[in-house]
Amino acid sequence: MVLEGSPEAVSSQSLDLRRSCAKGSRIFPSAGEGSLLSKEAVKYGELIVLGGAGEYNGSLASGDKGRRRSRIALFKRPKANGVKPDVIHHISTPLISKALSNKGQHSISYTLSRSHSVIVEYTHDCDTDMFQIGRSTENMIDFVVTDTAPGGSCTSEGQSAQSTISRYACRVICERNPPYTARIYAAGFDSSRNIFLGERAAKWRTPDGLMDGLTTNGVLVMHPTGGFSEDSAPGVWREISVCGNVYALRDSRSAQQRGKLVQSESNVLQDGSLIDLCGATLLWRTTAGLLLTPTLKQLEALRQETNAARPQCPVGFNTLAFPSLAQQGVVDKQQPWVYVNCGHVHGYHNWGFRKEKGGLERECPMCRRAGPYVPLWLGCEAGLYLDAGRPTHAFCPCGHVCSQKTVQYWAQIPLPHGTHAFHAACPFCGTWLTGERGFVRLIFQGPVD
């Protein structure tokens, strides 16, 4: 299975963007708006952090800075940097550090016992580009990712020591020639160009005499059935090994016993594939898939169209309006609010608290149903949308608004949490979904005049 379509050729409009192109891993201001670079640029796809935008969906709450951001676009590098397995060495474990220090090329070392280790040397592959993802801020990491807690709050760099995401979590290998297939592998190479699997790590010898293994907390992948579309359904979560083989999940996230090999599936990324790093989940979008997503201009047009209908608070009769996409995170006086259990949209009011609920729920004045009462925010990360439909539904209980097809899709996706739990979550902020469906249809009151 290969990536759908061929990457787009794009025109140059910005000197700053041209400078970022030379670094190999390049960043676009918006998913679906990729026509900003030189004609020679070949785009493999984009990685988007689910919930990584927090309350300020569309960028990290602390701001997109360098290689730490909510989304990154992977482009064909000026020069190939991919690697592939080459030579296998069996050596004495006490000599492993000396063996590695004498080598200039990439390698993966497997410690089988205190006296025996296996080193697999990797050689340069002129046909592939390699992109590395992890918590480390070292230069060999192309995309720096930190933990995303439910609710979208990302840990700061000062708290990264408590992260469950590996410093060198995984690597994506993209073929430099059509159809530009992208593959995911567990673990990334460190500053010494080595991947080290210690004595306690899950590792084994394959039937063909090679070595393979799993990282401590694992790299999980889920390929949706039917692609990233309204007709797709959740796939099955699998674990990817260091060599890119596919296995059933372990009993717990860090168990030493691997799952069963799944030979019918591969590590080829598809449009809509999810990659979980035990602390953050990434969405892979192909170039062809991104062409079908709305642009920020389209989202802004939908916002203006909704506001032009002049929705009103059914109690205060004041006109409601979604704030501009640039003002996300700051509640406006015209901000629409919703009772998430019924969907009735109001302006803000400071009454209706239910004392028996500890003051955390309010009673809707229209239908008397009690529940959370939250401000509504338009989802700004265009790459998470399935279509450019009208913003008619909201996730519960966070209040992020998007199209009906988009909420229906994400509400059925179980995302990994902890060692063996799964929860559906809002893709814009990471909040766990509640209620029977995880979303609600918004009920607006039109103008009375």
Side-chain angles (χ1 to χ4, degrees), residues 77 90 104 173 178 190 220 393 442 447:
R77 297 184 184 275
H90 295 263
I173 304 294
D190 61 19
L220 309 187
H393 289 66
L442 300 177

Side-chain angles (χ1 to χ4, degrees), residues 395-417:
F395 287 105
C396 302
C398 60
H400 279 106
V401 180
C402 53
S403 67
Q404 179 179 358
K405 293 177 181 178
T406 301
V407 294
Q408 289 175 336
Y409 177 82
W410 287 108
Q412 65 177 341
I413 302 295
L415 300 177
H417 172 71

Side-chain angles (χ1 to χ4, degrees), residues 252-263:
S252 64
R253 195 75 188 236
S254 57
Q256 287 189 302
Q257 181 62 42
R258 71 178 187 272
K260 185 179 180 181
L261 177 66
V262 184
Q263 295 180 325

Side-chain angles (χ1 to χ4, degrees), residues 328-340:
Q328 293 291 314
V330 180
V331 178
D332 186 82
K333 63 180 181 180
Q334 288 187 292
Q335 187 103 15
W337 288 62
V338 67
Y339 288 90
V340 299

Side-chain angles (χ1 to χ4, degrees), residues 91-103 107 109 111 117 119 192 194 196:
I91 66 171
S92 172
T93 297
L95 300 176
I96 188 171
S97 60
K98 182 178 180 180
L100 293 175
S101 64
N102 292 335
K103 302 299 180 181
S107 63
S109 57
T111 301
S117 293
I119 297 180
S192 300
N194 181 52
F196 181 78

Side-chain angles (χ1 to χ4, degrees), residues 5 16 33 78 237 258 263 266 324 328 404:
D16 290 336
E33 293 182 335
W237 282 98
R258 71 178 187 272
Q263 295 180 325
S266 76
S324 69
Q328 293 291 314
Q404 179 179 358

